PDB file of all heavy atoms in Angstrom:
ATOM      1  N   ARG A 193      31.250  26.425 -21.314  1.00  0.00           N
ATOM      2  CA  ARG A 193      30.410  25.362 -21.844  1.00  0.00           C
ATOM      3  C   ARG A 193      31.228  24.100 -22.082  1.00  0.00           C
ATOM      4  O   ARG A 193      32.377  24.180 -22.516  1.00  0.00           O
ATOM      5  CB  ARG A 193      29.737  25.796 -23.153  1.00  0.00           C
ATOM      6  CG  ARG A 193      28.681  26.866 -22.941  1.00  0.00           C
ATOM      7  CD  ARG A 193      28.045  27.299 -24.246  1.00  0.00           C
ATOM      8  NE  ARG A 193      26.931  28.196 -24.012  1.00  0.00           N
ATOM      9  CZ  ARG A 193      26.159  28.691 -24.974  1.00  0.00           C
ATOM     10  NH1 ARG A 193      26.377  28.341 -26.245  1.00  0.00           N
ATOM     11  NH2 ARG A 193      25.161  29.501 -24.683  1.00  0.00           N
ATOM     12  N   VAL A 194      30.615  22.977 -21.793  1.00  0.00           N
ATOM     13  CA  VAL A 194      31.255  21.684 -22.044  1.00  0.00           C
ATOM     14  C   VAL A 194      30.266  20.791 -22.770  1.00  0.00           C
ATOM     15  O   VAL A 194      29.044  20.909 -22.599  1.00  0.00           O
ATOM     16  CB  VAL A 194      31.707  21.008 -20.730  1.00  0.00           C
ATOM     17  CG1 VAL A 194      32.784  21.834 -20.048  1.00  0.00           C
ATOM     18  CG2 VAL A 194      30.527  20.808 -19.780  1.00  0.00           C
ATOM     19  N   THR A 195      30.793  19.911 -23.587  1.00  0.00           N
ATOM     20  CA  THR A 195      29.935  18.983 -24.317  1.00  0.00           C
ATOM     21  C   THR A 195      29.307  17.984 -23.359  1.00  0.00           C
ATOM     22  O   THR A 195      29.976  17.431 -22.482  1.00  0.00           O
ATOM     23  CB  THR A 195      30.748  18.238 -25.383  1.00  0.00           C
ATOM     24  OG1 THR A 195      31.295  19.198 -26.292  1.00  0.00           O
ATOM     25  CG2 THR A 195      29.868  17.265 -26.153  1.00  0.00           C
ATOM     26  N   VAL A 196      28.027  17.767 -23.513  1.00  0.00           N
ATOM     27  CA  VAL A 196      27.322  16.775 -22.707  1.00  0.00           C
ATOM     28  C   VAL A 196      27.504  15.419 -23.374  1.00  0.00           C
ATOM     29  O   VAL A 196      27.305  15.280 -24.579  1.00  0.00           O
ATOM     30  CB  VAL A 196      25.826  17.119 -22.599  1.00  0.00           C
ATOM     31  CG1 VAL A 196      25.072  16.009 -21.873  1.00  0.00           C
ATOM     32  CG2 VAL A 196      25.644  18.449 -21.884  1.00  0.00           C
ATOM     33  N   SER A 197      27.910  14.421 -22.597  1.00  0.00           N
ATOM     34  CA  SER A 197      28.139  13.099 -23.184  1.00  0.00           C
ATOM     35  C   SER A 197      26.915  12.212 -22.978  1.00  0.00           C
ATOM     36  O   SER A 197      26.006  12.198 -23.807  1.00  0.00           O
ATOM     37  CB  SER A 197      29.393  12.461 -22.583  1.00  0.00           C
ATOM     38  OG  SER A 197      29.317  12.452 -21.159  1.00  0.00           O
ATOM     39  N   HIS A 198      26.861  11.489 -21.871  1.00  0.00           N
ATOM     40  CA  HIS A 198      25.802  10.506 -21.676  1.00  0.00           C
ATOM     41  C   HIS A 198      24.411  11.134 -21.733  1.00  0.00           C
ATOM     42  O   HIS A 198      23.518  10.628 -22.432  1.00  0.00           O
ATOM     43  CB  HIS A 198      25.996   9.788 -20.344  1.00  0.00           C
ATOM     44  CG  HIS A 198      24.920   8.784 -20.038  1.00  0.00           C
ATOM     45  ND1 HIS A 198      24.777   7.610 -20.746  1.00  0.00           N
ATOM     46  CD2 HIS A 198      23.926   8.788 -19.120  1.00  0.00           C
ATOM     47  CE1 HIS A 198      23.754   6.921 -20.266  1.00  0.00           C
ATOM     48  NE2 HIS A 198      23.223   7.617 -19.279  1.00  0.00           N
ATOM     49  N   PHE A 199      24.211  12.238 -21.035  1.00  0.00           N
ATOM     50  CA  PHE A 199      22.854  12.770 -20.918  1.00  0.00           C
ATOM     51  C   PHE A 199      22.412  13.557 -22.146  1.00  0.00           C
ATOM     52  O   PHE A 199      21.282  14.030 -22.210  1.00  0.00           O
ATOM     53  CB  PHE A 199      22.713  13.599 -19.647  1.00  0.00           C
ATOM     54  CG  PHE A 199      22.643  12.741 -18.415  1.00  0.00           C
ATOM     55  CD1 PHE A 199      23.734  12.625 -17.570  1.00  0.00           C
ATOM     56  CD2 PHE A 199      21.507  12.001 -18.124  1.00  0.00           C
ATOM     57  CE1 PHE A 199      23.686  11.804 -16.456  1.00  0.00           C
ATOM     58  CE2 PHE A 199      21.443  11.173 -17.013  1.00  0.00           C
ATOM     59  CZ  PHE A 199      22.535  11.075 -16.166  1.00  0.00           C
ATOM     60  N   ASN A 200      23.308  13.688 -23.150  1.00  0.00           N
ATOM     61  CA  ASN A 200      22.854  14.314 -24.387  1.00  0.00           C
ATOM     62  C   ASN A 200      21.763  13.448 -25.018  1.00  0.00           C
ATOM     63  O   ASN A 200      20.898  13.945 -25.733  1.00  0.00           O
ATOM     64  CB  ASN A 200      24.017  14.543 -25.346  1.00  0.00           C
ATOM     65  CG  ASN A 200      24.291  13.381 -26.273  1.00  0.00           C
ATOM     66  OD1 ASN A 200      23.714  13.280 -27.345  1.00  0.00           O
ATOM     67  ND2 ASN A 200      25.189  12.503 -25.858  1.00  0.00           N
ATOM     68  N   LYS A 201      21.780  12.136 -24.736  1.00  0.00           N
ATOM     69  CA  LYS A 201      20.757  11.256 -25.285  1.00  0.00           C
ATOM     70  C   LYS A 201      19.372  11.632 -24.762  1.00  0.00           C
ATOM     71  O   LYS A 201      18.381  11.603 -25.509  1.00  0.00           O
ATOM     72  CB  LYS A 201      21.071   9.804 -24.938  1.00  0.00           C
ATOM     73  CG  LYS A 201      22.349   9.274 -25.566  1.00  0.00           C
ATOM     74  CD  LYS A 201      22.608   7.846 -25.120  1.00  0.00           C
ATOM     75  CE  LYS A 201      23.891   7.299 -25.707  1.00  0.00           C
ATOM     76  NZ  LYS A 201      24.161   5.907 -25.256  1.00  0.00           N
ATOM     77  N   ALA A 202      19.303  11.981 -23.488  1.00  0.00           N
ATOM     78  CA  ALA A 202      18.011  12.354 -22.918  1.00  0.00           C
ATOM     79  C   ALA A 202      17.490  13.636 -23.556  1.00  0.00           C
ATOM     80  O   ALA A 202      16.292  13.743 -23.878  1.00  0.00           O
ATOM     81  CB  ALA A 202      18.147  12.527 -21.411  1.00  0.00           C
ATOM     82  N   HIS A 203      18.359  14.604 -23.761  1.00  0.00           N
ATOM     83  CA  HIS A 203      17.921  15.868 -24.351  1.00  0.00           C
ATOM     84  C   HIS A 203      17.526  15.678 -25.818  1.00  0.00           C
ATOM     85  O   HIS A 203      16.560  16.293 -26.294  1.00  0.00           O
ATOM     86  CB  HIS A 203      19.020  16.918 -24.205  1.00  0.00           C
ATOM     87  CG  HIS A 203      19.327  17.245 -22.772  1.00  0.00           C
ATOM     88  ND1 HIS A 203      18.421  17.859 -21.941  1.00  0.00           N
ATOM     89  CD2 HIS A 203      20.428  17.017 -22.020  1.00  0.00           C
ATOM     90  CE1 HIS A 203      18.948  18.004 -20.731  1.00  0.00           C
ATOM     91  NE2 HIS A 203      20.173  17.498 -20.755  1.00  0.00           N
ATOM     92  N   LYS A 204      18.252  14.831 -26.530  1.00  0.00           N
ATOM     93  CA  LYS A 204      17.862  14.542 -27.910  1.00  0.00           C
ATOM     94  C   LYS A 204      16.548  13.768 -27.946  1.00  0.00           C
ATOM     95  O   LYS A 204      15.741  13.945 -28.861  1.00  0.00           O
ATOM     96  CB  LYS A 204      18.974  13.779 -28.633  1.00  0.00           C
ATOM     97  CG  LYS A 204      20.168  14.669 -28.975  1.00  0.00           C
ATOM     98  CD  LYS A 204      21.207  13.922 -29.787  1.00  0.00           C
ATOM     99  CE  LYS A 204      22.329  14.869 -30.229  1.00  0.00           C
ATOM    100  NZ  LYS A 204      23.372  14.150 -31.017  1.00  0.00           N
ATOM    101  N   GLY A 205      16.319  12.923 -26.967  1.00  0.00           N
ATOM    102  CA  GLY A 205      15.040  12.234 -26.882  1.00  0.00           C
ATOM    103  C   GLY A 205      13.892  13.191 -26.653  1.00  0.00           C
ATOM    104  O   GLY A 205      12.808  13.054 -27.248  1.00  0.00           O
ATOM    105  N   ARG A 206      14.106  14.202 -25.816  1.00  0.00           N
ATOM    106  CA  ARG A 206      13.085  15.234 -25.579  1.00  0.00           C
ATOM    107  C   ARG A 206      12.798  15.995 -26.862  1.00  0.00           C
ATOM    108  O   ARG A 206      11.639  16.280 -27.190  1.00  0.00           O
ATOM    109  CB  ARG A 206      13.549  16.209 -24.501  1.00  0.00           C
ATOM    110  CG  ARG A 206      13.555  15.678 -23.083  1.00  0.00           C
ATOM    111  CD  ARG A 206      14.060  16.756 -22.134  1.00  0.00           C
ATOM    112  NE  ARG A 206      13.243  17.968 -22.217  1.00  0.00           N
ATOM    113  CZ  ARG A 206      13.706  19.189 -21.945  1.00  0.00           C
ATOM    114  NH1 ARG A 206      14.975  19.373 -21.622  1.00  0.00           N
ATOM    115  NH2 ARG A 206      12.898  20.238 -22.023  1.00  0.00           N
ATOM    116  N   LEU A 207      13.860  16.328 -27.597  1.00  0.00           N
ATOM    117  CA  LEU A 207      13.676  17.049 -28.849  1.00  0.00           C
ATOM    118  C   LEU A 207      12.940  16.180 -29.864  1.00  0.00           C
ATOM    119  O   LEU A 207      12.030  16.652 -30.567  1.00  0.00           O
ATOM    120  CB  LEU A 207      15.030  17.487 -29.405  1.00  0.00           C
ATOM    121  CG  LEU A 207      15.008  18.188 -30.767  1.00  0.00           C
ATOM    122  CD1 LEU A 207      14.123  19.435 -30.733  1.00  0.00           C
ATOM    123  CD2 LEU A 207      16.426  18.558 -31.201  1.00  0.00           C
ATOM    124  N   ALA A 208      13.313  14.911 -29.952  1.00  0.00           N
ATOM    125  CA  ALA A 208      12.638  14.005 -30.874  1.00  0.00           C
ATOM    126  C   ALA A 208      11.150  13.919 -30.554  1.00  0.00           C
ATOM    127  O   ALA A 208      10.302  13.884 -31.458  1.00  0.00           O
ATOM    128  CB  ALA A 208      13.277  12.623 -30.822  1.00  0.00           C
TER     129      ALA A 208
END
Side-chain angles (χ1 to χ4, degrees):
R193 290 179 173 183
V194 296
T195 300
V196 174
S197 53
H198 178 69
F199 285 104
N200 89 88
K201 295 178 181 179
H203 297 294
K204 287 185 175 179
R206 287 179 58 207
L207 176 58

